[in-house]
Amino acid sequence: MKNRIYSLGVAFMAVSSAMAQTQYDAARISGSELNGTARFVGMGGAMGALGADISVIGTNPAGIGLFRSHDVSVSFGFNKNMTESTLEGTVLKDDRTRASFDQAGIVYSSKIGNKTSLRYLNFAFNYHKVANFNRLFSSGGSLNGSSLTWQMWSMMVGTGAYTKQDSYNALLDAENPYTSSNYYGTPFLGSMGVRTGLVDDVTDDSGFYMMGWNGASGEYYSREEGGINAYDLNVSFNVQDRFYFGLTLGIYDINYNRYSSYYENILDDNGNDNGGFTLNNWYSADGTGVDLKFGAIIRPFEYSPFRIGLAVHTPVWYSVTDRYHASLSTDVLAMPQPYTENLSDYFSGGSYVWEYQMNTPWKVNVSMGTTVSDVLAIGAEYEYAAYGSVKFQDLDNYDLTSSNEAVDKYLKDTHTFRVGMEAKFSPAFSFRAGYNYVTSPIKDNSARYVPNLVTNYADQIIFDETRTDPEYHNLKARNTVTLGLGYRGSAFYCDVAYKYDFYKSDFYMFDDYRFSDDGNSIVGRNSAAKVNHNRHQLLFTLGVHF
């Protein structure tokens, strides 16, 4: 066992209700990717002021007002996600290639008149994939004595209930410590650690203690699937061919699934192999949401092609259902026999279910665009997302103060810059290029589980009691480079685009926080794996205008 013993004689208090959401859930649900038609992607999405592409329905709804004919389009392609993780000199790589259906939409353009103030009244519907979660990821390497068992330990310290031998034994012998009112507020992961012997006890003349173990090496694997889909309904107006206004109602659905597995090899006090444990997690999130987008495009000079765009996006108001369960298997040599604790044995339906509401950030989009002699189109955009406006609310009125405090503390507002161009080789053929830069919504010092030392029973100190998946990525800024080609006939058109996303993250398999020997401060944190993320997307669009 760990050669240092930490007393539980300090007073701690847990939150009064279970909490399941974190800032990482908020960032994942709130995030979006550059996707849509191949023309839109090929120009880096910088078309908010240029308009006349159905994908602007989701960035600046007024852009639909520039259509002067009906339009139908579908887009599909392939995505290849690649990751490379480096931890203490150990490099692991993964990649996954999947086909994707990315967009389908229609624009109905109604001409009102040539001399009326309202020239066109347009309606549109568009489906597009907002986020694609399909990814495989592996990480692992030397832990240098750090261990997930110490996170389990610190969670149990935080409850304050298991400071005595009889409380510890009661948890071991409990028929169901996860749903029984006698154990209300007990962290699931910490309880699993106690019941499998990974958080062990020692009793001597000075009192009762619990301890974790020394970790030798850890191995992590995850498989993510699903995405976020948007269904947009739009009405837009062309006023005097100079002022364009639009409104988009967005309907969203989330479908996210993740399986993860973590194995840790542990050592005894003498540095000898003492067996190990495997933590498997299954997590899914399903939900629906709705938002509104308002947009305007203005030509400040009557006979100039230069345009300025402005759009405001309300939050997406989501209702989400999380389902998760886990198993923890140990073959620690100090225990009488190998043992597996399955959370699915304790819940009807096999999963813990949590229903809640969440709103994504408010967004403001400012854009500019112009054309030059009908040969060159240039666009630029800036988008601001106010992550401080993200909030969680439980449907059963449980207190989610800790969830919202984690969002306030560890998320930051994002800034997105887009530029793009389209150059015509001939009236029928075009070349496109674009670039995006998106700042990270995650602060550098963000942590998923942070126990805080307290001196009175009124403080709340545990983030995330019921969740048993401790891993997380602290994402860095994202860069995107795009290229595209297009053909426009009298009725038929086709486009192709290539998109390359690249960004980095610091990945933690867990947080090894412990209290100092005097019990007055939190010390230590395990090393982060340095991860490179790369995504290649090939996108095709087929369409007709009439």
Side-chain angles (χ1 to χ4, degrees), residues 334-361:
M335 304 305 293
Q337 61 185 11
Y339 176 71
T340 297
E341 179 84 343
N342 285 299
L343 279 185
S344 58
D345 295 338
Y346 301 96
F347 298 102
S348 60
S351 297
Y352 185 88
V353 180
W354 188 279
E355 296 181 336
Y356 60 95
Q357 294 177 330
M358 186 201 119
N359 65 266
T360 66

Side-chain angles (χ1 to χ4, degrees), residues 319-454:
S319 294
V320 185
T321 300
D322 284 358
R323 292 179 174 83
Y324 46 94
H325 64 280
S327 69
L328 182 59
S329 303
T330 64
D331 60 359
V332 178
L333 301 182
M335 304 305 293
Q337 61 185 11
Y339 176 71
T340 297
E341 179 84 343
N342 285 299
L343 279 185
S344 58
D345 295 338
Y346 301 96
F347 298 102
S348 60
S351 297
Y352 185 88
V353 180
W354 188 279
E355 296 181 336
Y356 60 95
Q357 294 177 330
M358 186 201 119
N359 65 266
T360 66
W362 282 88
K363 295 181 181 179
V364 176
N365 181 292
V366 179
S367 56
M368 296 184 295
T370 190
T371 59
V372 179
S373 301
D374 291 329
V375 174
L376 179 67
I378 303 172
E381 288 187 16
Y382 166 74
E383 186 171 278
Y384 171 78
Y387 273 79
S389 62
V390 173
K391 290 293 181 290
F392 289 110
Q393 180 179 348
D394 186 81
L395 293 179
D396 293 321
N397 295 317
Y398 284 110
D399 184 8
L400 295 185
T401 300
S402 294
S403 295
N404 291 319
E405 286 179 348
V407 168
D408 292 339
K409 184 175 181 179
Y410 293 119
L411 292 188
K412 59 184 179 181
D413 299 339
T414 63
H415 309 272
T416 300
F417 302 90
R418 306 182 184 110
V419 293
M421 57 80 68
E422 178 183 64
K424 289 186 177 181
F425 297 135
S426 68
F429 293 95
S430 301
F431 168 79
R432 304 173 185 120
Y435 172 74
N436 284 192
Y437 177 82
V438 185
T439 62
S440 173
I442 306 291
K443 292 183 179 178
D444 290 340
N445 65 340
S446 180
R448 180 162 184 160
Y449 168 78
V450 185
N452 300 308
L453 187 63
V454 299

Side-chain angles (χ1 to χ4, degrees), residues 59 61 292-295 310-314 362-365:
T59 56
L292 287 172
K293 303 179 182 71
F294 306 89
L310 174 66
V312 177
H313 302 184
T314 71
W362 282 88
K363 295 181 181 179
V364 176
N365 181 292

Side-chain angles (χ1 to χ4, degrees), residues 237-542:
F237 309 89
N238 174 341
V239 179
Q240 298 178 348
D241 289 327
R242 285 191 62 189
F243 307 98
Y244 307 86
F245 305 97
L247 171 67
T248 294
L249 169 67
I251 301 171
Y252 300 79
D253 72 74
I254 303 170
N255 174 28
Y256 176 72
N257 294 279
R258 181 180 68 239
Y259 163 73
S260 63
S261 180
Y262 173 73
Y263 173 78
E264 184 176 312
N265 176 244
I266 57 181
L267 305 175
D268 62 19
D269 286 345
N270 298 317
N272 298 317
D273 187 357
N274 198 38
F277 64 90
T278 299
L279 173 65
N280 293 313
N281 275 286
W282 293 264
Y283 168 75
S284 68
D286 296 282
T288 57
V290 61
D291 78 342
L292 287 172
K293 303 179 182 71
F294 306 89
I297 298 173
I298 299 172
R299 299 160 66 105
F301 310 107
E302 183 175 2
Y303 299 105
S304 171
F306 176 73
R307 299 188 282 271
I308 299 173
L310 174 66
V312 177
H313 302 184
T314 71
V316 182
W317 291 283
Y318 277 114
S319 294
V320 185
T321 300
D322 284 358
R323 292 179 174 83
Y324 46 94
H325 64 280
S327 69
L328 182 59
S329 303
T330 64
D331 60 359
V332 178
L333 301 182
M335 304 305 293
Q337 61 185 11
Y339 176 71
T340 297
E341 179 84 343
N342 285 299
L343 279 185
S344 58
D345 295 338
Y346 301 96
F347 298 102
S348 60
S351 297
Y352 185 88
V353 180
W354 188 279
E355 296 181 336
Y356 60 95
Q357 294 177 330
M358 186 201 119
N359 65 266
T360 66
W362 282 88
K363 295 181 181 179
V364 176
N365 181 292
V366 179
S367 56
M368 296 184 295
T370 190
T371 59
V372 179
S373 301
D374 291 329
V375 174
L376 179 67
I378 303 172
E381 288 187 16
Y382 166 74
E383 186 171 278
Y384 171 78
Y387 273 79
S389 62
V390 173
K391 290 293 181 290
F392 289 110
Q393 180 179 348
D394 186 81
L395 293 179
D396 293 321
N397 295 317
Y398 284 110
D399 184 8
L400 295 185
T401 300
S402 294
S403 295
N404 291 319
E405 286 179 348
V407 168
D408 292 339
K409 184 175 181 179
Y410 293 119
L411 292 188
K412 59 184 179 181
D413 299 339
T414 63
H415 309 272
T416 300
F417 302 90
R418 306 182 184 110
V419 293
M421 57 80 68
E422 178 183 64
K424 289 186 177 181
F425 297 135
S426 68
F429 293 95
S430 301
F431 168 79
R432 304 173 185 120
Y435 172 74
N436 284 192
Y437 177 82
V438 185
T439 62
S440 173
I442 306 291
K443 292 183 179 178
D444 290 340
N445 65 340
S446 180
R448 180 162 184 160
Y449 168 78
V450 185
N452 300 308
L453 187 63
V454 299
T455 57
N456 62 74
Y457 293 107
D459 293 325
Q460 298 180 334
I461 69 164
I462 291 199
F463 300 164
D464 196 10
E465 286 191 77
T466 61
R467 290 281 283 272
T468 56
D469 47 348
E471 72 279 1
Y472 59 93
H473 286 269
N474 282 346
L475 303 175
K476 310 298 182 182
R478 178 189 294 262
N479 294 271
T480 303
V481 177
T482 65
L483 297 171
L485 295 172
Y487 166 78
R488 285 290 187 277
S490 58
F492 170 77
Y493 64 89
C494 62
D495 301 294
V496 60
Y498 166 74
K499 183 182 74 172
Y500 175 50
D501 287 319
F502 56 100
Y503 61 100
K504 299 180 182 293
S505 70
D506 292 335
F507 174 71
Y508 293 90
M509 294 183 284
F510 55 88
D511 267 328
D512 180 13
Y513 282 102
R514 300 167 233 172
F515 293 96
S516 60
D517 291 332
D518 60 9
N520 291 323
S521 61
I522 298 171
V523 297
R525 185 175 186 174
N526 59 305
S527 298
K530 303 299 181 180
V531 184
N532 292 318
H533 302 260
N534 296 275
R535 178 184 172 191
H536 303 271
Q537 181 180 10
L538 190 62
L539 185 65
F540 302 91
T541 296
L542 302 176

Side-chain angles (χ1 to χ4, degrees), residues 72-132:
V72 178
S73 61
V74 294
S75 304
F76 52 91
F78 301 90
N79 291 273
K80 182 172 185 177
N81 281 288
M82 307 169 65
T83 60
E84 179 182 279
S85 167
T86 303
L87 176 63
E88 299 293 337
T90 299
V91 179
L92 295 176
K93 298 180 181 181
D94 282 283
D95 65 80
R96 190 177 200 187
T97 302
R98 296 288 295 270
S100 179
F101 184 74
D102 296 282
Q103 178 271 329
I106 181 170
V107 175
Y108 179 82
S109 181
S110 177
K111 186 174 182 178
I112 304 301
N114 292 322
K115 297 182 179 181
T116 59
S117 294
L118 179 62
R119 303 293 169 82
Y120 283 85
L121 175 62
N122 295 342
F123 301 90
F125 167 79
N126 190 51
Y127 155 81
H128 83 281
K129 190 174 290 295
V130 176
N132 190 324

